[in-house]
Amino acid sequence: MAQFKKATLALALAALAKAAVIPRNSTVGTSPACDVVDALVPSFNGSVRTILFDQAYKDASIQRLAGAVQIPTVVGDNNPDPLVDPDFYSEFVRLHEYLNETFPLVRQNLELETINGFGLLYTWRGSNPNLKPILFTSHQDVVPVNNDTIDEWKFPPFSGHYDNETDSVWGRGSFDVKNLVIGQMEAVEKLLEDGYQTERTVLLAFGFDEEASGIWGARFISQYIEQEYGQNGVMVMFDEGAGLVEVDAGSYIAVIPNAEKGYLDGIVAVNGQGGHSSSPPKHTTIGVASDMITQLENNPSGVEFDVQNPLFGFLTCAAQYSSQLPMSLKQLIFAAPANQTAEAMLAQLLYSTDLTTDYVKTSQAVTIFHGGVKVNSIPETSEFYVNHRIAQGSSVAETKERFLYYANATANKFGYGLIAEGVTLIEPTKLGYINITYNSRPLEPSPVSPSSGPTWDLLTGTVQNLFVNDFWKEQGLNNYTVATASGMVTGNTDSKHYWNVTDTIYRFIGGVTDPAISSLMHSVNEHVTMETHLQSVAFVYEFIVNANEYGSTIN
């Protein structure tokens, strides 16, 4: 999974509560309600409770997930064309064989297209071809494990070990995101076992290089789907993302991100004088590069937030259902839609709070620096990369403009030339020049998917029934509640390749998420609890059933 902000919004509530110093006479306005919706109870008497509570099913699911984790489908940042170097992807062949063996009913009843060598697209044909399909996506690939950290793992990173004490499957990909690959397959397999026939076509799409931006996997799968079903030919798409967070004892919010930030890598090469370190220039290229980095980090992007930001949906829910927030902050949230002063104050509070700031600004991170090859040699070139995640409300062009501003300031300060994207802005001097380029595939902030209307109602009604009726009430937890809210993710998923396929994309896993576990994605001791995993399976199962029963008019 493209790395999401490690601290969840549940943790951010506490931080906001501590940070809030707000006049208590703020004008209270009307705010969009965050309601506990009516449950959509399917008439099909299927296996949701078996998935959630049956020990034999759980034991089998543990083995299915563990087996997938044990296959190290690792990718790096730059991976070869799969049609040119298929051997590089040999572990994916093993995974495909494993899926075929593990899910025999899927293999027998669904059509399988292998796209661009290793992308998988399963099609469960519905009985009504006039209805747009549902698309569930995830990815087969995982990030590498740093060999220097292997001894820090509680269990070996590709063991797929099940630990009874934590009720978790451990290993790389267990939470990012082979759990969804296996979970989506498990849901369809169980529906087939139960004799269910879908009216609406269901698609399962599994890319194989999401961790490297999906250029060989999801990009080609999405093109195939668009050719098959047309532009905006899919009813709704689900991808990895958020889940349910507990904001008070027994009170949950289902955070359903319906937008994500944009992406841009800025690459700066400072070219100057080399030579022996005993006769150095006043400023080496490392020094000049470091000055620009300092300017960037000392002058972060400004706030980009208003009540149209999807994050405001979560804040509204939190204000209504969490006792962690002080009344003054709740009043500020409720006032914001009708009061520009309150809206601006809320924006500044989010901006100044560490756990929420990246949701309301374009973030930047210097991630790579190259300069120098020998201690007594002055480097002719120093290069660094800056990764930007572009806020909703901003743009690639605006981010480039800001980046260029500080490159220009550095060039003028040190008497260097400046070239940006092949255009000479300041002629190179005898001291040198700065060259600015960008990654080949910049990404604008995503379109915002609907947070109201029939598809949203179908989704939220399914969540309500699954957790309140199927899960909590079955355990005697009759006072537990779940509200639903829009949200945003700060990273990028494969969903960016599917914007032409559907205008309704939700980055939602359908399970309760633990902030401590979420923070371990891409890190040591990645694991997933079986409770969360089985909830995700049950969500896919029940959403398909409800889409056929309650969503037959959605198209």
Short mmCIF file of all heavy atoms in Angstrom, two decimals, residues 9 16 255 258-259 305-317 350 356-360 485-488:
data_model
loop_
_atom_site.label_atom_id
_atom_site.label_comp_id
_atom_site.label_asym_id
_atom_site.label_seq_id
_atom_site.Cartn_x
_atom_site.Cartn_y
_atom_site.Cartn_z
N LEU A 9 -6.76 8.90 12.19
CA LEU A 9 -7.54 10.05 12.63
C LEU A 9 -8.06 9.87 14.05
O LEU A 9 -8.33 10.85 14.75
CB LEU A 9 -8.70 10.27 11.65
CG LEU A 9 -8.27 10.71 10.26
CD1 LEU A 9 -9.49 10.81 9.36
CD2 LEU A 9 -7.54 12.01 10.29
N LEU A 16 -5.91 17.00 18.68
CA LEU A 16 -6.68 18.23 18.46
C LEU A 16 -7.27 18.75 19.76
O LEU A 16 -7.32 19.95 20.01
CB LEU A 16 -7.80 17.95 17.45
CG LEU A 16 -7.40 17.91 15.98
CD1 LEU A 16 -8.58 17.45 15.14
CD2 LEU A 16 -6.91 19.27 15.52
N VAL A 255 -14.68 5.35 8.58
CA VAL A 255 -14.07 6.39 7.76
C VAL A 255 -13.91 5.84 6.35
O VAL A 255 -13.18 4.87 6.14
CB VAL A 255 -12.70 6.82 8.33
CG1 VAL A 255 -12.14 7.98 7.52
CG2 VAL A 255 -12.82 7.19 9.80
N ASN A 258 -12.97 9.12 0.27
CA ASN A 258 -13.49 9.28 -1.10
C ASN A 258 -12.62 10.23 -1.92
O ASN A 258 -13.04 10.74 -2.95
CB ASN A 258 -14.94 9.77 -1.07
CG ASN A 258 -15.13 11.05 -0.27
OD1 ASN A 258 -14.36 11.36 0.64
ND2 ASN A 258 -16.16 11.81 -0.61
N ALA A 259 -11.38 10.45 -1.44
CA ALA A 259 -10.43 11.28 -2.17
C ALA A 259 -9.03 10.97 -1.65
O ALA A 259 -8.86 10.44 -0.56
CB ALA A 259 -10.74 12.76 -2.00
N PHE A 305 -7.65 24.08 3.22
CA PHE A 305 -8.78 23.40 3.87
C PHE A 305 -9.99 24.31 3.88
O PHE A 305 -9.90 25.50 4.17
CB PHE A 305 -8.43 23.02 5.32
CG PHE A 305 -9.58 22.37 6.05
CD1 PHE A 305 -9.84 21.02 5.88
CD2 PHE A 305 -10.41 23.12 6.88
CE1 PHE A 305 -10.91 20.42 6.54
CE2 PHE A 305 -11.48 22.53 7.54
CZ PHE A 305 -11.72 21.17 7.37
N ASP A 306 -11.13 23.70 3.54
CA ASP A 306 -12.43 24.32 3.77
C ASP A 306 -13.41 23.19 4.04
O ASP A 306 -13.04 22.01 4.06
CB ASP A 306 -12.87 25.21 2.60
CG ASP A 306 -12.96 24.46 1.28
OD1 ASP A 306 -13.22 23.23 1.28
OD2 ASP A 306 -12.77 25.10 0.23
N VAL A 307 -14.66 23.53 4.25
CA VAL A 307 -15.63 22.50 4.65
C VAL A 307 -16.00 21.57 3.50
O VAL A 307 -16.72 20.59 3.72
CB VAL A 307 -16.91 23.15 5.24
CG1 VAL A 307 -16.58 23.87 6.53
CG2 VAL A 307 -17.58 24.08 4.24
N GLN A 308 -15.52 21.84 2.30
CA GLN A 308 -15.72 20.92 1.18
C GLN A 308 -14.67 19.80 1.19
O GLN A 308 -14.81 18.82 0.46
CB GLN A 308 -15.66 21.67 -0.14
CG GLN A 308 -16.72 22.75 -0.29
CD GLN A 308 -18.12 22.23 -0.07
OE1 GLN A 308 -18.50 21.19 -0.63
NE2 GLN A 308 -18.90 22.92 0.74
N ASN A 309 -13.64 19.94 1.99
CA ASN A 309 -12.62 18.89 2.09
C ASN A 309 -13.26 17.64 2.69
O ASN A 309 -13.96 17.72 3.70
CB ASN A 309 -11.49 19.39 2.99
CG ASN A 309 -10.29 18.46 3.00
OD1 ASN A 309 -10.40 17.28 3.31
ND2 ASN A 309 -9.12 19.00 2.67
N PRO A 310 -13.03 16.46 2.09
CA PRO A 310 -13.64 15.24 2.62
C PRO A 310 -13.32 14.98 4.09
O PRO A 310 -14.11 14.32 4.78
CB PRO A 310 -13.04 14.14 1.73
CG PRO A 310 -12.74 14.83 0.44
CD PRO A 310 -12.30 16.21 0.83
N LEU A 311 -12.20 15.49 4.58
CA LEU A 311 -11.85 15.32 5.98
C LEU A 311 -12.92 15.91 6.90
O LEU A 311 -13.11 15.44 8.03
CB LEU A 311 -10.50 15.98 6.26
CG LEU A 311 -9.99 15.96 7.70
CD1 LEU A 311 -9.74 14.53 8.17
CD2 LEU A 311 -8.72 16.80 7.82
N PHE A 312 -13.62 16.94 6.41
CA PHE A 312 -14.62 17.59 7.26
C PHE A 312 -15.75 16.64 7.62
O PHE A 312 -16.39 16.79 8.68
CB PHE A 312 -15.17 18.85 6.59
CG PHE A 312 -16.05 19.66 7.50
CD1 PHE A 312 -15.50 20.35 8.56
CD2 PHE A 312 -17.42 19.72 7.29
CE1 PHE A 312 -16.31 21.10 9.41
CE2 PHE A 312 -18.23 20.47 8.14
CZ PHE A 312 -17.67 21.16 9.20
N GLY A 313 -16.03 15.65 6.78
CA GLY A 313 -17.04 14.66 7.12
C GLY A 313 -16.67 13.91 8.39
O GLY A 313 -17.50 13.71 9.28
N PHE A 314 -15.41 13.50 8.47
CA PHE A 314 -14.95 12.81 9.68
C PHE A 314 -14.99 13.74 10.89
O PHE A 314 -15.41 13.34 11.98
CB PHE A 314 -13.53 12.28 9.50
CG PHE A 314 -12.93 11.75 10.77
CD1 PHE A 314 -13.27 10.50 11.25
CD2 PHE A 314 -12.05 12.53 11.52
CE1 PHE A 314 -12.75 10.03 12.44
CE2 PHE A 314 -11.53 12.07 12.70
CZ PHE A 314 -11.87 10.81 13.17
N LEU A 315 -14.57 14.99 10.71
CA LEU A 315 -14.57 15.92 11.84
C LEU A 315 -15.98 16.15 12.36
O LEU A 315 -16.20 16.27 13.58
CB LEU A 315 -13.94 17.25 11.41
CG LEU A 315 -12.45 17.20 11.04
CD1 LEU A 315 -12.00 18.55 10.50
CD2 LEU A 315 -11.60 16.78 12.23
N THR A 316 -16.94 16.23 11.45
CA THR A 316 -18.33 16.41 11.87
C THR A 316 -18.80 15.21 12.69
O THR A 316 -19.44 15.37 13.74
CB THR A 316 -19.24 16.59 10.64
OG1 THR A 316 -18.77 17.69 9.86
CG2 THR A 316 -20.68 16.84 11.05
N CYS A 317 -18.46 14.02 12.22
CA CYS A 317 -18.81 12.81 12.98
C CYS A 317 -18.14 12.80 14.35
O CYS A 317 -18.76 12.47 15.36
CB CYS A 317 -18.39 11.56 12.20
SG CYS A 317 -19.70 10.81 11.21
N LEU A 350 -6.05 22.58 12.44
CA LEU A 350 -5.64 21.35 11.77
C LEU A 350 -4.22 21.46 11.23
O LEU A 350 -3.43 20.52 11.31
CB LEU A 350 -6.61 21.03 10.63
CG LEU A 350 -8.05 20.71 11.03
CD1 LEU A 350 -8.95 20.71 9.80
CD2 LEU A 350 -8.13 19.37 11.74
N THR A 356 -2.56 16.06 12.11
CA THR A 356 -3.53 16.38 11.06
C THR A 356 -2.97 17.28 9.97
O THR A 356 -3.61 17.47 8.94
CB THR A 356 -4.78 17.06 11.66
OG1 THR A 356 -4.37 18.20 12.43
CG2 THR A 356 -5.54 16.09 12.56
N THR A 357 -1.79 17.83 10.19
CA THR A 357 -1.29 18.85 9.26
C THR A 357 -1.16 18.34 7.83
O THR A 357 -1.45 19.08 6.88
CB THR A 357 0.06 19.42 9.76
OG1 THR A 357 0.44 20.50 8.90
CG2 THR A 357 1.15 18.36 9.79
N ASP A 358 -0.77 17.10 7.64
CA ASP A 358 -0.56 16.60 6.28
C ASP A 358 -1.86 16.37 5.52
O ASP A 358 -1.84 16.17 4.31
CB ASP A 358 0.26 15.32 6.31
CG ASP A 358 1.71 15.58 6.67
OD1 ASP A 358 2.15 16.73 6.53
OD2 ASP A 358 2.40 14.64 7.11
N TYR A 359 -2.99 16.39 6.23
CA TYR A 359 -4.28 16.29 5.56
C TYR A 359 -4.72 17.62 4.95
O TYR A 359 -5.62 17.65 4.12
CB TYR A 359 -5.36 15.80 6.53
CG TYR A 359 -5.21 14.36 6.93
CD1 TYR A 359 -4.52 13.99 8.07
CD2 TYR A 359 -5.75 13.33 6.15
CE1 TYR A 359 -4.38 12.67 8.45
CE2 TYR A 359 -5.62 12.00 6.51
CZ TYR A 359 -4.93 11.67 7.66
OH TYR A 359 -4.78 10.36 8.02
N VAL A 360 -4.10 18.73 5.39
CA VAL A 360 -4.60 20.05 4.99
C VAL A 360 -3.51 20.91 4.35
O VAL A 360 -3.63 22.13 4.30
CB VAL A 360 -5.24 20.78 6.19
CG1 VAL A 360 -6.45 20.02 6.70
CG2 VAL A 360 -4.22 21.00 7.31
N ALA A 485 -18.62 8.35 7.65
CA ALA A 485 -18.15 9.68 7.26
C ALA A 485 -17.18 9.58 6.10
O ALA A 485 -16.47 8.58 5.95
CB ALA A 485 -17.47 10.37 8.44
N SER A 486 -17.16 10.62 5.30
CA SER A 486 -16.13 10.72 4.26
C SER A 486 -14.79 10.97 4.90
O SER A 486 -14.68 11.33 6.07
CB SER A 486 -16.47 11.86 3.29
OG SER A 486 -16.51 13.10 4.00
N GLY A 487 -13.74 10.78 4.14
CA GLY A 487 -12.39 11.00 4.64
C GLY A 487 -11.42 11.12 3.48
O GLY A 487 -11.82 11.14 2.30
N MET A 488 -10.16 11.16 3.81
CA MET A 488 -9.13 11.32 2.78
C MET A 488 -7.90 10.54 3.20
O MET A 488 -7.60 10.41 4.38
CB MET A 488 -8.78 12.79 2.59
CG MET A 488 -7.85 13.06 1.41
SD MET A 488 -7.68 14.82 1.10
CE MET A 488 -6.93 15.38 2.61
#
